[in-house]
């Protein structure tokens, strides 16, 4: 899933797993999943839909409209699409925690297994910690040549990454605690039998 457009593909499949939708509806919901910093155009959405249809992961049905309006195409997930979507959700490799895909992956965490969620969160945190260290080193080397605005922008960026690392650590701790509690509940139930 490392190719460009993988986040869009995952978002479309995730939304269609909930219910069939037509293009306008999909675009609106995908924009919500991708976040306010990335707006999706129809020129990007429809080639993705065409590719998913050609692969057999979604089907396009024509819906008749009342009073002479032109018919709409409604997209739905196929059985193959459901299997493919499930396999994408359980992929916790590096592409799942990169900048392009992490937001969509996180938005679909409720459908992802706990071990995969932890793997993605840990990978994201590790990547950000590495990035933070590199920026700090580069900043220390160039600090005297920076004007006050550049230093302020860099400080803001560092603080943002630090906040995200702290947030990820809290999520990882919570996820592990929940998994431990579930394991304890199962053990207690087994002992009572």
């Amino acid at each position: 899933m490392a190719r460009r457009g993988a986040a869009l593909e995952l978002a479309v499949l995730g939304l269609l797993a909930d219910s069939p939708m037509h293009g306008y509806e999909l675009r609106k919901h995908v924009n919500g999943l991708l976040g306010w910093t990335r707006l999706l155009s129809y020129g990007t959405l429809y080639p993705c839909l065409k590719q998913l249809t050609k692969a057999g992961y979604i089907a396009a049905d024509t819906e008749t409209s009342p009073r002479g309006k032109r018919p709409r195409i409604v997209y739905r997930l196929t059985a193959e699409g459901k299997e493919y979507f499930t396999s994408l959700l359980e992929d916790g490799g590096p592409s799942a925690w990169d900048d392009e895909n992490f937001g969509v992956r996180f938005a679909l965490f409720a459908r992802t297994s706990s071990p995969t969620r932890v793997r993605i969160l840990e990978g994201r945190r590790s990547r950000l910690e590495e990035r933070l260290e590199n920026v700090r080193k580069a900043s220390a080397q160039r600090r005297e040549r920076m004007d006050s605005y550049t230093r302020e922008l860099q400080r803001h960026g560092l603080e943002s990454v630090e906040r995200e690392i702290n947030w990820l650590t809290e999520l990882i701790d919570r996820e592990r605690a929940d998994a431990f509690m579930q394991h304890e509940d199962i053990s207690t139930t087994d002992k009572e039998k």
Side-chain angles (χ1 to χ4, degrees), residues 47-64:
C48 176
L49 293 172
K50 186 176 181 180
Q51 181 182 0
L52 290 170
T53 302
K54 186 176 179 181
Y57 299 138
I58 65 174
D61 302 320
T62 303
E63 182 182 84
T64 56

Side-chain angles (χ1 to χ4, degrees), residues 96-110:
W97 59 72
D98 68 13
D99 292 342
E100 177 80 15
N101 295 314
F102 179 72
V104 171
R105 291 304 304 261
F106 189 80
L108 298 170
F109 260 19

Side-chain angles (χ1 to χ4, degrees), residues 120-136:
I120 292 169
L121 293 170
E122 287 175 337
R124 178 72 177 169
R125 180 177 64 183
S126 177
R127 174 141 318 145
L128 291 176
E129 287 170 339
E130 183 180 304
R131 188 182 298 167
L132 186 63
E133 185 60 31
N134 291 337
V135 170
R136 281 184 176 146

Side-chain angles (χ1 to χ4, degrees), residues 10-63:
L10 186 62
V12 167
L13 293 171
L15 290 167
L16 292 178
D18 290 336
S19 68
M21 293 184 198
H22 55 81
Y24 172 79
E25 224 177 351
L26 261 172
R27 180 176 177 258
K28 184 172 70 174
H29 290 306
V30 168
N31 278 333
L33 271 182
L34 294 178
W36 63 271
T37 59
R38 295 170 51 194
L39 291 178
L40 177 68
S41 71
Y42 289 111
T44 303
L45 175 62
Y46 283 107
C48 176
L49 293 172
K50 186 176 181 180
Q51 181 182 0
L52 290 170
T53 302
K54 186 176 179 181
Y57 299 138
I58 65 174
D61 302 320
T62 303
E63 182 182 84

